[in-house]
């Protein structure tokens, strides 16, 4: 009898480093109908494109991935409408991140202690051996001890000491202290803040945990998207959660960072000071003690540095930049569009100094530290805005450069 040869899978469904596919996921979310060749031009090889596309299709419901043919080329994009669904299905892409080698210890320990017993480390080890009759697991006492320490530090386990012996047991479930009505209210609150906080993934995981807990108690689970809609629900922002978490931890623990930024392969050491988010455009910025600003989505590599001595001395605070904007409205312009623009300015530019030159011209000025962060906002006013003579030269050059690139891409020039 001949043994059947096993077919090798065409791709691996999990990856160790989420950053490998971050650029692809962001591109497939933001840009419509790119082909394999288009991705090749931005550094994603054709085979890598095929593998990443299969991974995405495994993570996200088919209805949210749209494929079309343009001649013989197949184009793919992420198809979602924030007004139909506020749930960010890109959170599912984090499931593809492979677990560390000793992750099974966490699962086994929690399963063993779920009976409510309080056990010594050797009793937990014996229980693992009893369930490992086929010897598929390579049990290490030191790795087991590290897993117990990590679970205790995370708050999932608690310890008691009796006669120099340490007993481990599951920590009290804080959800047990809440009524069904309180849990539903908590779910509603978590669902609201999930898409407006710096980090979104923990919110989705917590909401899912509350929902499963309610189900285990025989209570109806809240429906996704039953309440909240967001005007600015930026789906791609969620892929940067891993980077943002590292930055937040570094700020809290007063650690330094080393990053690789954009196409620059040179490693940049820095001390993080704060994070800010431009919600309408889905951009998060890292601000350093050197008064430098980095766009988080352009950070390709990041790691924590323990020794602050590697960071240069604090530089002199850069000079403030001037924004000088002139808004022009003509009688031939669409009245509804002009009204909407003026309403936006009343809300979004209330912090700027405004001078009404006449009924058609309005002058807005302000002094800012990071003028470049306002470029997307300025560009959003399209034909109604022009730059005054006092606008910083670097901002003028950047906007002119972006305009030329856009016209070239559309074949106008």
């Amino acid at each position: 009898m001949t043994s059947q040869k096993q077919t090798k899978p065409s791709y691996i469904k999990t990856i160790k480093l989420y950053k490998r596919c971050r650029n692809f996921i962001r591109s497939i979310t933001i840009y419509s109908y790119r082909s394999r060749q288009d991705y090749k031009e931005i550094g994603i090889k054709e085979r890598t494109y095929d593998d990443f596309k299969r991974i995405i299709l495994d993570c996200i419901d088919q209805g949210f991935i749209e494929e079309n043919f343009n001649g013989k080329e197949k184009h793919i994009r992420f198809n979602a409408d924030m007004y139909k669904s506020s749930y960010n299905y890109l959170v599912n892409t984090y499931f593809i991140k492979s677990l560390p080698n000793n992750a099974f210890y966490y699962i086994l320990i929690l399963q063993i202690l779920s009976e409510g017993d309080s056990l010594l480390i050797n009793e937990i080890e014996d229980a693992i051996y009893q369930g490992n009759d086929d010897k598929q697991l390579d049990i290490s006492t030191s790795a087991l001890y590290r897993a117990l320490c990590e679970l205790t530090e995370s708050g999932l386990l608690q310890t008691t000491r009796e006669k120099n012996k340490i007993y481990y047991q599951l920590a009290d479930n804080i959800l047990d202290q809440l009524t069904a009505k309180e849990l539903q209210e908590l779910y509603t609150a978590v669902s609201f803040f999930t898409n407006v906080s710096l980090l979104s993934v923990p919110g989705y995981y917590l909401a899912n945990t509350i929902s499963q807990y309610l189900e285990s108690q025989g209570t109806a689970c809240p429906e996704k998207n039953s309440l909240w809609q967001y005007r600015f629900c930026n789906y791609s922002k969620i892929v940067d959660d891993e980077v943002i978490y590292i930055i937040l931890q570094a700020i809290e623990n007063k650690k330094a960072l080393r990053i690789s930024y954009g196409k620059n392969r040179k490693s940049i050491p820095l001390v993080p000071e704060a994070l800010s988010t431009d919600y309408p455009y889905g951009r998060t910025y890292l601000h350093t003690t050197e008064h430098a600003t980095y766009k988080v989505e352009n950070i390709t590599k990041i790691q924590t540095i323990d020794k602050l001595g590697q960071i240069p001395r604090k530089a002199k605070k850069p000079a403030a930049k001037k924004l000088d904007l002139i808004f022009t409205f003509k009688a031939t312009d669409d009245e509804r569009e002009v009204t909407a623009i003026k309403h936006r300015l009343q809300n979004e530019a209330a912090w700027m100094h405004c001078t009404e030159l006449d009924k058609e011209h309005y002058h807005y000025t302000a002094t800012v530290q990071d003028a470049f962060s306002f470029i997307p906002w300025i560009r959003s006013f399209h034909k109604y805005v022009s730059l005054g003579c006092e606008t910083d030269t670097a901002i003028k050059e950047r906007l002119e450069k972006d305009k030329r690139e856009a016209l070239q891409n559309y074949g106008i020039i």
Side-chain angles (χ1 to χ4, degrees), residues 1 72 91 96 210 239 330 360:
M1 180 177 178
K72 293 183 178 181
V91 70
I96 64 178
I210 297 171
V239 302
K330 301 176 183 177
E360 291 187 348

Side-chain angles (χ1 to χ4, degrees), residues 16 98-106 137-138 143:
K16 185 176 181 180
S98 55
L99 296 172
N101 293 332
N102 62 343
F104 67 88
Y105 282 113
Y106 306 145
L137 300 178
D138 184 16

Side-chain angles (χ1 to χ4, degrees), residues 229-341:
Q229 287 184 332
Y230 299 88
R231 182 182 176 190
F232 301 117
C233 182
N234 299 287
Y235 289 100
S236 64
K237 178 177 173 289
I238 204 168
V239 302
D240 295 317
D241 265 29
E242 191 176 41
V243 175
I244 292 173
Y245 177 75
I246 294 173
I247 296 171
L248 289 173
Q249 289 292 100
I251 294 173
E252 182 179 356
N253 298 316
K254 295 181 172 54
K255 301 285 188 179
L257 295 171
R258 188 180 295 280
I259 68 170
S260 296
Y261 191 71
K263 297 180 180 179
N264 184 6
R265 296 185 179 182
K266 185 178 179 181
S267 181
I268 305 171
L270 56 86
V271 178
E273 187 172 52
L275 283 167
S276 63
T277 296
D278 184 2
Y279 286 102
Y281 306 102
R283 296 181 178 92
T284 301
Y285 298 93
L286 164 63
H287 305 279
T288 75
T289 56
E290 303 293 308
H291 307 295
T293 302
Y294 298 92
K295 195 184 296 184
V296 169
E297 67 182 61
N298 288 341
I299 297 176
T300 56
K301 294 181 181 179
I302 185 168
Q303 67 178 115
T304 304
I305 302 174
D306 291 327
K307 296 180 180 179
L308 294 180
Q310 300 180 40
I311 307 302
R313 292 183 179 180
K314 191 170 182 178
K316 183 179 178 181
K317 190 174 183 179
K321 306 296 183 183
K322 189 79 175 224
L323 287 183
D324 183 5
L325 309 177
I326 298 173
F327 289 85
T328 303
F329 304 103
K330 301 176 183 177
T332 54
D333 291 332
D334 182 85
E335 185 177 353
R336 291 182 63 183
E337 189 175 18
V338 169
T339 301
I341 293 293

Side-chain angles (χ1 to χ4, degrees), residues 323-325 327 345 348-355 363-368 374 377:
L323 287 183
D324 183 5
L325 309 177
F327 289 85
L345 289 171
E348 300 173 16
W351 55 279
M352 301 181 73
H353 178 71
C354 175
T355 302
H363 193 198
Y364 282 82
T365 58
T367 302
V368 296
F374 291 93
W377 181 72

